PDB file of all heavy atoms in Angstrom:
ATOM      1  N   ASP D   1      15.673  -4.772  -7.654  1.00  0.00           N
ATOM      2  CA  ASP D   1      16.544  -4.149  -6.610  1.00  0.00           C
ATOM      3  C   ASP D   1      17.277  -5.261  -5.820  1.00  0.00           C
ATOM      4  O   ASP D   1      18.001  -5.079  -4.900  1.00  0.00           O
ATOM      5  CB  ASP D   1      15.712  -3.340  -5.547  1.00  0.00           C
ATOM      6  CG  ASP D   1      14.706  -4.185  -4.782  1.00  0.00           C
ATOM      7  OD1 ASP D   1      14.646  -5.416  -4.929  1.00  0.00           O
ATOM      8  OD2 ASP D   1      14.025  -3.596  -3.873  1.00  0.00           O
ATOM      9  N   HIS D   2      17.136  -6.513  -6.232  1.00  0.00           N
ATOM     10  CA  HIS D   2      17.825  -7.628  -5.679  1.00  0.00           C
ATOM     11  C   HIS D   2      17.497  -7.924  -4.265  1.00  0.00           C
ATOM     12  O   HIS D   2      18.098  -8.657  -3.502  1.00  0.00           O
ATOM     13  CB  HIS D   2      19.326  -7.540  -5.835  1.00  0.00           C
ATOM     14  CG  HIS D   2      19.782  -7.279  -7.182  1.00  0.00           C
ATOM     15  ND1 HIS D   2      19.758  -8.241  -8.255  1.00  0.00           N
ATOM     16  CD2 HIS D   2      20.355  -6.184  -7.822  1.00  0.00           C
ATOM     17  CE1 HIS D   2      20.160  -7.695  -9.359  1.00  0.00           C
ATOM     18  NE2 HIS D   2      20.507  -6.501  -9.128  1.00  0.00           N
ATOM     19  N   GLN D   3      16.352  -7.287  -3.796  1.00  0.00           N
ATOM     20  CA  GLN D   3      15.910  -7.473  -2.339  1.00  0.00           C
ATOM     21  C   GLN D   3      14.500  -7.716  -2.131  1.00  0.00           C
ATOM     22  O   GLN D   3      14.097  -8.404  -1.183  1.00  0.00           O
ATOM     23  CB  GLN D   3      16.306  -6.191  -1.683  1.00  0.00           C
ATOM     24  CG  GLN D   3      17.835  -5.948  -1.639  1.00  0.00           C
ATOM     25  CD  GLN D   3      18.112  -4.498  -0.996  1.00  0.00           C
ATOM     26  OE1 GLN D   3      17.277  -3.979  -0.225  1.00  0.00           O
ATOM     27  NE2 GLN D   3      19.292  -4.077  -1.282  1.00  0.00           N
ATOM     28  N   ALA D   4      13.644  -7.100  -2.972  1.00  0.00           N
ATOM     29  CA  ALA D   4      12.196  -7.114  -2.630  1.00  0.00           C
ATOM     30  C   ALA D   4      11.529  -8.445  -2.621  1.00  0.00           C
ATOM     31  O   ALA D   4      10.410  -8.530  -1.973  1.00  0.00           O
ATOM     32  CB  ALA D   4      11.429  -6.214  -3.695  1.00  0.00           C
ATOM     33  N   HIS D   5      12.001  -9.529  -3.210  1.00  0.00           N
ATOM     34  CA  HIS D   5      11.561 -10.812  -3.236  1.00  0.00           C
ATOM     35  C   HIS D   5      11.657 -11.544  -1.865  1.00  0.00           C
ATOM     36  O   HIS D   5      11.059 -12.611  -1.612  1.00  0.00           O
ATOM     37  CB  HIS D   5      11.858 -11.652  -4.381  1.00  0.00           C
ATOM     38  CG  HIS D   5      13.336 -11.847  -4.422  1.00  0.00           C
ATOM     39  ND1 HIS D   5      14.302 -10.837  -4.484  1.00  0.00           N
ATOM     40  CD2 HIS D   5      14.183 -13.027  -4.404  1.00  0.00           C
ATOM     41  CE1 HIS D   5      15.577 -11.379  -4.521  1.00  0.00           C
ATOM     42  NE2 HIS D   5      15.440 -12.627  -4.493  1.00  0.00           N
ATOM     43  N   LEU D   6      12.627 -11.009  -0.977  1.00  0.00           N
ATOM     44  CA  LEU D   6      12.949 -11.682   0.284  1.00  0.00           C
ATOM     45  C   LEU D   6      12.680 -10.690   1.407  1.00  0.00           C
ATOM     46  O   LEU D   6      12.721  -9.504   1.177  1.00  0.00           O
ATOM     47  CB  LEU D   6      14.382 -12.102   0.249  1.00  0.00           C
ATOM     48  CG  LEU D   6      14.804 -13.069  -0.814  1.00  0.00           C
ATOM     49  CD1 LEU D   6      16.270 -13.315  -0.814  1.00  0.00           C
ATOM     50  CD2 LEU D   6      14.095 -14.424  -0.614  1.00  0.00           C
ATOM     51  N   ALA D   7      12.544 -11.288   2.622  1.00  0.00           N
ATOM     52  CA  ALA D   7      12.435 -10.425   3.827  1.00  0.00           C
ATOM     53  C   ALA D   7      12.949 -11.144   4.937  1.00  0.00           C
ATOM     54  O   ALA D   7      13.094 -12.353   4.952  1.00  0.00           O
ATOM     55  CB  ALA D   7      10.877 -10.141   4.006  1.00  0.00           C
ATOM     56  N   TYR D   8      13.122 -10.498   6.064  1.00  0.00           N
ATOM     57  CA  TYR D   8      13.726 -10.998   7.251  1.00  0.00           C
ATOM     58  C   TYR D   8      12.459 -11.477   8.176  1.00  0.00           C
ATOM     59  O   TYR D   8      11.529 -10.612   8.266  1.00  0.00           O
ATOM     60  CB  TYR D   8      14.519 -10.059   8.020  1.00  0.00           C
ATOM     61  CG  TYR D   8      15.969  -9.923   7.417  1.00  0.00           C
ATOM     62  CD1 TYR D   8      16.138  -8.858   6.487  1.00  0.00           C
ATOM     63  CD2 TYR D   8      16.998 -10.810   7.604  1.00  0.00           C
ATOM     64  CE1 TYR D   8      17.389  -8.713   5.884  1.00  0.00           C
ATOM     65  CE2 TYR D   8      18.119 -10.645   7.002  1.00  0.00           C
ATOM     66  CZ  TYR D   8      18.399  -9.577   6.167  1.00  0.00           C
ATOM     67  OH  TYR D   8      19.572  -9.428   5.503  1.00  0.00           O
ATOM     68  N   ALA D   9      12.684 -12.542   8.830  1.00  0.00           N
ATOM     69  CA  ALA D   9      11.623 -12.926   9.883  1.00  0.00           C
ATOM     70  C   ALA D   9      11.707 -12.053  11.019  1.00  0.00           C
ATOM     71  O   ALA D   9      12.820 -11.371  11.297  1.00  0.00           O
ATOM     72  CB  ALA D   9      11.915 -14.330  10.329  1.00  0.00           C
ATOM     73  N   GLU D  10      10.601 -11.855  11.819  1.00  0.00           N
ATOM     74  CA  GLU D  10      10.598 -11.073  12.961  1.00  0.00           C
ATOM     75  C   GLU D  10      10.118 -11.906  14.173  1.00  0.00           C
ATOM     76  O   GLU D  10       9.429 -12.849  14.000  1.00  0.00           O
ATOM     77  CB  GLU D  10       9.795  -9.847  12.762  1.00  0.00           C
ATOM     78  CG  GLU D  10      10.251  -8.964  11.599  1.00  0.00           C
ATOM     79  CD  GLU D  10       9.252  -7.758  11.401  1.00  0.00           C
ATOM     80  OE1 GLU D  10       8.335  -7.652  12.078  1.00  0.00           O
ATOM     81  OE2 GLU D  10       9.637  -6.951  10.522  1.00  0.00           O
ATOM     82  N   TRP D  11      10.536 -11.389  15.350  1.00  0.00           N
ATOM     83  CA  TRP D  11      10.014 -12.070  16.635  1.00  0.00           C
ATOM     84  C   TRP D  11       8.685 -11.770  16.831  1.00  0.00           C
ATOM     85  O   TRP D  11       8.214 -10.569  16.867  1.00  0.00           O
ATOM     86  CB  TRP D  11      10.923 -11.721  17.795  1.00  0.00           C
ATOM     87  CG  TRP D  11      12.342 -12.199  17.691  1.00  0.00           C
ATOM     88  CD1 TRP D  11      13.427 -11.496  17.260  1.00  0.00           C
ATOM     89  CD2 TRP D  11      12.819 -13.457  17.846  1.00  0.00           C
ATOM     90  NE1 TRP D  11      14.574 -12.195  17.261  1.00  0.00           N
ATOM     91  CE2 TRP D  11      14.268 -13.478  17.629  1.00  0.00           C
ATOM     92  CE3 TRP D  11      12.291 -14.702  18.230  1.00  0.00           C
ATOM     93  CZ2 TRP D  11      14.990 -14.581  17.713  1.00  0.00           C
ATOM     94  CZ3 TRP D  11      13.083 -15.806  18.432  1.00  0.00           C
ATOM     95  CH2 TRP D  11      14.542 -15.757  18.138  1.00  0.00           C
ATOM     96  N   ASN D  12       7.793 -12.773  17.183  1.00  0.00           N
ATOM     97  CA  ASN D  12       6.445 -12.447  17.551  1.00  0.00           C
ATOM     98  C   ASN D  12       6.308 -12.450  19.067  1.00  0.00           C
ATOM     99  O   ASN D  12       7.350 -12.674  19.817  1.00  0.00           O
ATOM    100  CB  ASN D  12       5.376 -13.499  16.954  1.00  0.00           C
ATOM    101  CG  ASN D  12       5.576 -14.847  17.493  1.00  0.00           C
ATOM    102  OD1 ASN D  12       6.196 -15.153  18.545  1.00  0.00           O
ATOM    103  ND2 ASN D  12       4.907 -15.801  16.804  1.00  0.00           N
ATOM    104  N   ARG D  13       5.123 -12.178  19.575  1.00  0.00           N
ATOM    105  CA  ARG D  13       4.937 -12.109  21.087  1.00  0.00           C
ATOM    106  C   ARG D  13       5.066 -13.376  21.786  1.00  0.00           C
ATOM    107  O   ARG D  13       5.428 -13.383  23.007  1.00  0.00           O
ATOM    108  CB  ARG D  13       3.563 -11.544  21.383  1.00  0.00           C
ATOM    109  CG  ARG D  13       3.342 -10.124  20.864  1.00  0.00           C
ATOM    110  CD  ARG D  13       1.980  -9.591  21.220  1.00  0.00           C
ATOM    111  NE  ARG D  13       1.896  -8.226  20.697  1.00  0.00           N
ATOM    112  CZ  ARG D  13       0.794  -7.536  20.948  1.00  0.00           C
ATOM    113  NH1 ARG D  13      -0.261  -8.029  21.542  1.00  0.00           N
ATOM    114  NH2 ARG D  13       0.738  -6.322  20.429  1.00  0.00           N
ATOM    115  N   SER D  14       5.072 -14.527  21.087  1.00  0.00           N
ATOM    116  CA  SER D  14       5.372 -15.763  21.699  1.00  0.00           C
ATOM    117  C   SER D  14       6.872 -16.179  21.666  1.00  0.00           C
ATOM    118  O   SER D  14       7.300 -17.227  22.160  1.00  0.00           O
ATOM    119  CB  SER D  14       4.623 -16.791  20.948  1.00  0.00           C
ATOM    120  OG  SER D  14       3.218 -16.572  21.082  1.00  0.00           O
ATOM    121  N   GLY D  15       7.688 -15.251  21.208  1.00  0.00           N
ATOM    122  CA  GLY D  15       9.114 -15.486  21.149  1.00  0.00           C
ATOM    123  C   GLY D  15       9.590 -16.463  20.042  1.00  0.00           C
ATOM    124  O   GLY D  15      10.626 -16.998  20.042  1.00  0.00           O
ATOM    125  N   GLN D  16       8.737 -16.440  18.985  1.00  0.00           N
ATOM    126  CA  GLN D  16       9.050 -17.228  17.708  1.00  0.00           C
ATOM    127  C   GLN D  16       9.352 -16.384  16.554  1.00  0.00           C
ATOM    128  O   GLN D  16       8.786 -15.234  16.512  1.00  0.00           O
ATOM    129  CB  GLN D  16       7.884 -18.188  17.396  1.00  0.00           C
ATOM    130  CG  GLN D  16       7.555 -19.165  18.401  1.00  0.00           C
ATOM    131  CD  GLN D  16       6.276 -19.894  18.019  1.00  0.00           C
ATOM    132  OE1 GLN D  16       5.250 -19.364  17.657  1.00  0.00           O
ATOM    133  NE2 GLN D  16       6.283 -21.219  18.205  1.00  0.00           N
ATOM    134  N   LYS D  17      10.329 -16.651  15.757  1.00  0.00           N
ATOM    135  CA  LYS D  17      10.502 -15.962  14.550  1.00  0.00           C
ATOM    136  C   LYS D  17       9.491 -16.410  13.460  1.00  0.00           C
ATOM    137  O   LYS D  17       9.307 -17.555  13.236  1.00  0.00           O
ATOM    138  CB  LYS D  17      11.918 -16.205  13.972  1.00  0.00           C
ATOM    139  CG  LYS D  17      13.002 -15.370  14.645  1.00  0.00           C
ATOM    140  CD  LYS D  17      14.237 -15.395  13.867  1.00  0.00           C
ATOM    141  CE  LYS D  17      14.982 -14.057  14.051  1.00  0.00           C
ATOM    142  NZ  LYS D  17      16.130 -14.045  13.264  1.00  0.00           N
ATOM    143  N   VAL D  18       8.846 -15.375  12.896  1.00  0.00           N
ATOM    144  CA  VAL D  18       7.766 -15.628  11.839  1.00  0.00           C
ATOM    145  C   VAL D  18       8.008 -14.717  10.731  1.00  0.00           C
ATOM    146  O   VAL D  18       8.513 -13.653  10.793  1.00  0.00           O
ATOM    147  CB  VAL D  18       6.369 -15.383  12.428  1.00  0.00           C
ATOM    148  CG1 VAL D  18       6.121 -16.494  13.530  1.00  0.00           C
ATOM    149  CG2 VAL D  18       6.280 -14.074  12.987  1.00  0.00           C
ATOM    150  N   CYS D  19       7.665 -15.207   9.482  1.00  0.00           N
ATOM    151  CA  CYS D  19       7.790 -14.473   8.326  1.00  0.00           C
ATOM    152  C   CYS D  19       6.587 -13.451   8.276  1.00  0.00           C
ATOM    153  O   CYS D  19       5.375 -13.733   8.744  1.00  0.00           O
ATOM    154  CB  CYS D  19       7.673 -15.380   7.125  1.00  0.00           C
ATOM    155  SG  CYS D  19       9.234 -16.345   6.851  1.00  0.00           S
ATOM    156  N   PRO D  20       6.808 -12.314   7.538  1.00  0.00           N
ATOM    157  CA  PRO D  20       5.653 -11.384   7.429  1.00  0.00           C
ATOM    158  C   PRO D  20       4.676 -11.908   6.347  1.00  0.00           C
ATOM    159  O   PRO D  20       4.995 -12.702   5.519  1.00  0.00           O
ATOM    160  CB  PRO D  20       6.347  -9.993   6.939  1.00  0.00           C
ATOM    161  CG  PRO D  20       7.552 -10.533   6.319  1.00  0.00           C
ATOM    162  CD  PRO D  20       7.993 -11.775   7.029  1.00  0.00           C
ATOM    163  N   PRO D  21       3.418 -11.418   6.388  1.00  0.00           N
ATOM    164  CA  PRO D  21       2.334 -11.934   5.514  1.00  0.00           C
ATOM    165  C   PRO D  21       2.765 -11.746   4.038  1.00  0.00           C
ATOM    166  O   PRO D  21       2.318 -12.504   3.237  1.00  0.00           O
ATOM    167  CB  PRO D  21       1.129 -11.168   5.897  1.00  0.00           C
ATOM    168  CG  PRO D  21       1.399 -10.628   7.175  1.00  0.00           C
ATOM    169  CD  PRO D  21       2.860 -10.542   7.360  1.00  0.00           C
ATOM    170  N   THR D  22       3.537 -10.740   3.714  1.00  0.00           N
ATOM    171  CA  THR D  22       4.022 -10.449   2.433  1.00  0.00           C
ATOM    172  C   THR D  22       4.989 -11.409   1.833  1.00  0.00           C
ATOM    173  O   THR D  22       5.170 -11.541   0.607  1.00  0.00           O
ATOM    174  CB  THR D  22       4.498  -8.989   2.301  1.00  0.00           C
ATOM    175  OG1 THR D  22       5.636  -8.870   3.244  1.00  0.00           O
ATOM    176  CG2 THR D  22       3.513  -7.934   2.556  1.00  0.00           C
ATOM    177  N   HIS D  23       5.640 -12.115   2.753  1.00  0.00           N
ATOM    178  CA  HIS D  23       6.685 -13.031   2.326  1.00  0.00           C
ATOM    179  C   HIS D  23       6.513 -14.322   3.246  1.00  0.00           C
ATOM    180  O   HIS D  23       7.346 -14.580   4.131  1.00  0.00           O
ATOM    181  CB  HIS D  23       8.039 -12.446   2.615  1.00  0.00           C
ATOM    182  CG  HIS D  23       8.372 -11.351   1.702  1.00  0.00           C
ATOM    183  ND1 HIS D  23       7.806 -10.062   1.897  1.00  0.00           N
ATOM    184  CD2 HIS D  23       9.112 -11.176   0.588  1.00  0.00           C
ATOM    185  CE1 HIS D  23       8.263  -9.240   0.928  1.00  0.00           C
ATOM    186  NE2 HIS D  23       9.038  -9.873   0.124  1.00  0.00           N
ATOM    187  N   PRO D  24       5.472 -15.063   3.027  1.00  0.00           N
ATOM    188  CA  PRO D  24       5.078 -16.285   3.946  1.00  0.00           C
ATOM    189  C   PRO D  24       5.890 -17.421   3.939  1.00  0.00           C
ATOM    190  O   PRO D  24       5.734 -18.272   4.759  1.00  0.00           O
ATOM    191  CB  PRO D  24       3.629 -16.429   3.491  1.00  0.00           C
ATOM    192  CG  PRO D  24       3.663 -16.185   2.091  1.00  0.00           C
ATOM    193  CD  PRO D  24       4.564 -14.923   1.886  1.00  0.00           C
ATOM    194  N   VAL D  25       6.752 -17.564   2.879  1.00  0.00           N
ATOM    195  CA  VAL D  25       7.444 -18.919   2.755  1.00  0.00           C
ATOM    196  C   VAL D  25       8.822 -18.901   3.472  1.00  0.00           C
ATOM    197  O   VAL D  25       9.670 -18.075   3.138  1.00  0.00           O
ATOM    198  CB  VAL D  25       7.695 -19.189   1.288  1.00  0.00           C
ATOM    199  CG1 VAL D  25       8.416 -20.539   1.117  1.00  0.00           C
ATOM    200  CG2 VAL D  25       6.418 -19.175   0.525  1.00  0.00           C
ATOM    201  N   LEU D  26       8.967 -19.672   4.495  1.00  0.00           N
ATOM    202  CA  LEU D  26      10.226 -19.768   5.256  1.00  0.00           C
ATOM    203  C   LEU D  26      11.277 -20.570   4.426  1.00  0.00           C
ATOM    204  O   LEU D  26      10.919 -21.712   3.978  1.00  0.00           O
ATOM    205  CB  LEU D  26       9.936 -20.468   6.635  1.00  0.00           C
ATOM    206  CG  LEU D  26      11.166 -20.544   7.530  1.00  0.00           C
ATOM    207  CD1 LEU D  26      11.531 -19.145   8.027  1.00  0.00           C
ATOM    208  CD2 LEU D  26      10.782 -21.411   8.699  1.00  0.00           C
ATOM    209  N   ILE D  27      12.501 -20.018   4.291  1.00  0.00           N
ATOM    210  CA  ILE D  27      13.549 -20.677   3.583  1.00  0.00           C
ATOM    211  C   ILE D  27      14.696 -20.774   4.490  1.00  0.00           C
ATOM    212  O   ILE D  27      14.800 -20.022   5.454  1.00  0.00           O
ATOM    213  CB  ILE D  27      13.866 -20.067   2.230  1.00  0.00           C
ATOM    214  CG1 ILE D  27      14.259 -18.534   2.542  1.00  0.00           C
ATOM    215  CG2 ILE D  27      12.763 -20.015   1.261  1.00  0.00           C
ATOM    216  CD1 ILE D  27      14.762 -17.708   1.327  1.00  0.00           C
ATOM    217  N   PRO D  28      15.720 -21.622   4.229  1.00  0.00           N
ATOM    218  CA  PRO D  28      16.887 -21.749   5.045  1.00  0.00           C
ATOM    219  C   PRO D  28      17.619 -20.388   5.059  1.00  0.00           C
ATOM    220  O   PRO D  28      17.775 -19.773   4.034  1.00  0.00           O
ATOM    221  CB  PRO D  28      17.778 -22.848   4.467  1.00  0.00           C
ATOM    222  CG  PRO D  28      16.813 -23.660   3.603  1.00  0.00           C
ATOM    223  CD  PRO D  28      15.754 -22.700   3.221  1.00  0.00           C
ATOM    224  N   GLN D  29      18.164 -20.042   6.183  1.00  0.00           N
ATOM    225  CA  GLN D  29      19.004 -18.809   6.271  1.00  0.00           C
ATOM    226  C   GLN D  29      20.400 -19.155   6.144  1.00  0.00           C
ATOM    227  O   GLN D  29      20.984 -20.022   6.695  1.00  0.00           O
ATOM    228  CB  GLN D  29      18.736 -18.132   7.595  1.00  0.00           C
ATOM    229  CG  GLN D  29      19.478 -16.770   7.606  1.00  0.00           C
ATOM    230  CD  GLN D  29      19.320 -15.982   8.884  1.00  0.00           C
ATOM    231  OE1 GLN D  29      19.311 -16.539   9.987  1.00  0.00           O
ATOM    232  NE2 GLN D  29      19.060 -14.722   8.780  1.00  0.00           N
ATOM    233  N   ILE D  30      21.065 -18.469   5.121  1.00  0.00           N
ATOM    234  CA  ILE D  30      22.499 -18.566   4.954  1.00  0.00           C
ATOM    235  C   ILE D  30      23.235 -17.525   5.668  1.00  0.00           C
ATOM    236  O   ILE D  30      22.863 -16.361   5.607  1.00  0.00           O
ATOM    237  CB  ILE D  30      22.846 -18.508   3.398  1.00  0.00           C
ATOM    238  CG1 ILE D  30      22.045 -19.474   2.630  1.00  0.00           C
ATOM    239  CG2 ILE D  30      24.329 -18.584   3.171  1.00  0.00           C
ATOM    240  CD1 ILE D  30      22.335 -20.884   2.792  1.00  0.00           C
TER     241      ILE D  30
END
């Protein structure tokens, strides 16, 4: 589907953007 291998980071309660457990590797955002 050209999408399932990637996900968007979300804000946590500490105000940091974190990746979901299903997509744990942070990559540069274009």
Side-chain angles (χ1 to χ4, degrees):
D1 66 359
H2 307 290
Q3 299 175 16
H5 60 299
L6 299 173
Y8 288 94
E10 297 179 359
W11 295 101
N12 67 12
R13 292 182 182 182
S14 300
Q16 298 172 315
K17 275 196 151 183
V18 296
C19 290
T22 57
H23 296 74
V25 181
L26 185 65
I27 58 176
Q29 184 177 44
I30 303 296

